[in-house]
Amino acid sequence: SPLMGRLIREPISLERKAPPIVSQSWLGKVDWLLLLFAGWALVSFFCGLRLLAALYRLRVLHRSARPVALDEPLLSSRRITVAESSLVSSPVAVGLWPAKVLLPVGFQSQFSAMERRNVLLHEIAHLERLDDWSTFFQQALLAVFPINPFLWATNRILHLHQEAACDDRVLIETHQAKSYAHLLARLADGHTERSLLASGVSRQGKQLYQRLTRILDGTRNRNIQPSARNVMTAAIALIGAIAAGLVWLPAIVLTPSALASESENIVLGPN
C-alpha cells in the first residue's frame, strides 16, 4: 500500500538503550569499603586493649620484684636486675622499664647451681638482644594492622627465632645440650607467665618440640652472626613496600566506578 511504501522509503532510526542495572540482592547495596574499615577499627580496638592490659601486667610484675643476691655474678652489656616475684611460677625476662629477670619464690632451692646459671643466661640474653622492645613493637604493629595475616605469621616466627637465639647463647657457653633440654622440659611442665611482653618458657607443644629438636641437633652451627648488610637491605625493602602500599591504596580504593551504557542504532530497511 502507499503507506507501507512510504515507511520503507523512509527508514525509522530506533535507539535502544541498555536498561539500568538493578541490584538483585542486598549485597549490591552494601558499602564494602565502610564495612572493611569498621571491621579493621573493631579488631584494632580489641588488640589495642590487649596491648594496654599487657603493659599494665608488666608494670605489676615490675612492682612485685624483690632483688636477690646471686651466687655467681653474670656479666651483661645491659643493666639487669635479678629479682624474685610471687606472681610468676617460672623465670621470665621483663623489660621496657629497668630490665629485670624475675624468678619464682623458692627457685634457688629447687634447681642446682648449673641449672640456675643456664636459666639466667637464657633470660639475660633476651634482654641483651632487646627482645623486650622488639616484642613491644611487634604487638603495636599487630594492634594497628590486625587484619594482615602476614604480621601474625611473622610474629610467631620471630618469637621462635628469639628463643632459638637465646638457646644458642646458653649452649655456646655450657656445651650441655641434653641437660639444658631436660631443664626446659621441667620448666615448661609447670604454669608459666602468659603476658605478651614477658619472655618465658613456652608451654606450646609444637614450639617447645622445635626448640628441643634444635637444641639436640649437634650438627647445627650456633655461632652464626647476623649480617648488617642483609638486615638493612630487608628493612629498606620492607619500608619501601609499605610506603608504596600507603601511596597507591587510596588511589585504587577511592577510584569512582563508572557504569557503562550501550546504545545501538537499528535501521529498518527493505527486506
Side-chain angles (χ1 to χ4, degrees):
S1 64
L3 180 60
M4 290 298 298
R6 187 173 64 182
L7 290 176
I8 294 174
R9 288 192 300 270
E10 299 177 3
I12 301 175
S13 178
L14 300 177
E15 182 178 351
R16 186 174 66 186
K17 296 183 178 180
I21 300 177
V22 180
S23 177
Q24 300 295 330
S25 64
W26 62 272
L27 294 176
K29 301 179 182 179
V30 176
D31 190 344
W32 293 106
L33 180 60
L34 180 60
L35 185 62
L36 178 63
F37 178 78
W40 180 5
L42 182 63
V43 179
S44 179
F45 174 74
F46 283 108
C47 290
L49 287 181
R50 186 183 68 159
L51 181 58
L52 291 177
L55 287 172
Y56 175 76
R57 175 63 177 174
L58 199 65
R59 182 172 179 270
V60 171
L61 290 177
H62 275 286
R63 297 183 66 179
S64 67
R66 299 292 181 268
V68 297
L70 298 179
D71 299 334
E72 176 185 358
L74 298 177
L75 299 179
S76 173
S77 59
R78 185 178 177 183
R79 185 176 180 181
I80 300 173
T81 302
V82 180
E84 285 186 345
S85 173
S86 60
L87 300 181
V88 298
S89 56
S90 66
V92 293
V94 293
L96 298 187
W97 289 281
K100 295 184 180 69
V101 175
L102 299 184
L103 304 176
V105 177
F107 176 79
Q108 297 188 9
S109 61
Q110 298 175 3
F111 295 87
S112 64
M114 180 58 67
E115 290 174 335
R116 294 196 301 269
R117 186 174 185 276
N118 291 343
V119 168
L120 291 176
L121 285 175
H122 179 92
E123 303 303 336
I124 289 174
H126 274 298
L127 298 173
E128 284 186 336
R129 287 167 36 87
L130 300 180
D131 286 344
D132 50 340
W133 285 102
S134 63
T135 301
F136 171 75
F137 286 122
Q138 289 169 217
Q139 296 300 326
L141 285 176
L142 289 176
V144 178
F145 304 104
I147 59 176
N148 189 344
F150 172 76
L151 290 179
W152 291 95
T154 304
N155 180 65
R156 294 178 62 87
I157 294 174
L158 288 178
H159 180 69
L160 177 60
H161 282 285
Q162 289 173 357
E163 297 295 336
C166 296
D167 292 336
D168 289 344
R169 172 73 176 274
V170 176
L171 295 176
I172 288 174
E173 294 196 20
T174 62
H175 303 286
Q176 298 177 356
K178 291 184 178 181
S179 60
Y180 181 64
H182 179 67
L183 173 62
L184 290 183
R186 287 180 58 191
L187 292 173
D189 186 48
H191 179 71
T192 59
E193 174 62 33
R194 305 298 296 173
S195 175
L196 291 176
L197 303 179
S199 299
V201 180
S202 173
R203 296 185 64 192
Q204 299 178 6
K206 183 178 180 180
Q207 185 180 102
L208 183 61
Y209 173 78
Q210 292 174 343
R211 288 180 61 189
L212 295 180
T213 302
R214 193 179 187 278
I215 290 171
L216 297 175
D217 186 4
T219 63
R220 185 177 296 275
N221 184 9
R222 307 188 188 279
N223 291 312
I224 298 178
Q225 298 296 327
S227 172
R229 183 178 62 182
N230 294 340
V231 172
M232 290 300 298
T233 302
I236 293 173
L238 182 60
I239 294 174
I242 294 174
L246 294 177
V247 171
W248 290 335
L249 184 60
I252 296 174
V253 173
L254 300 179
T255 301
S257 58
L259 298 177
S261 61
E262 180 183 1
S263 62
E264 293 182 355
N265 291 328
I266 303 176
V267 179
L268 298 178
N271 291 333

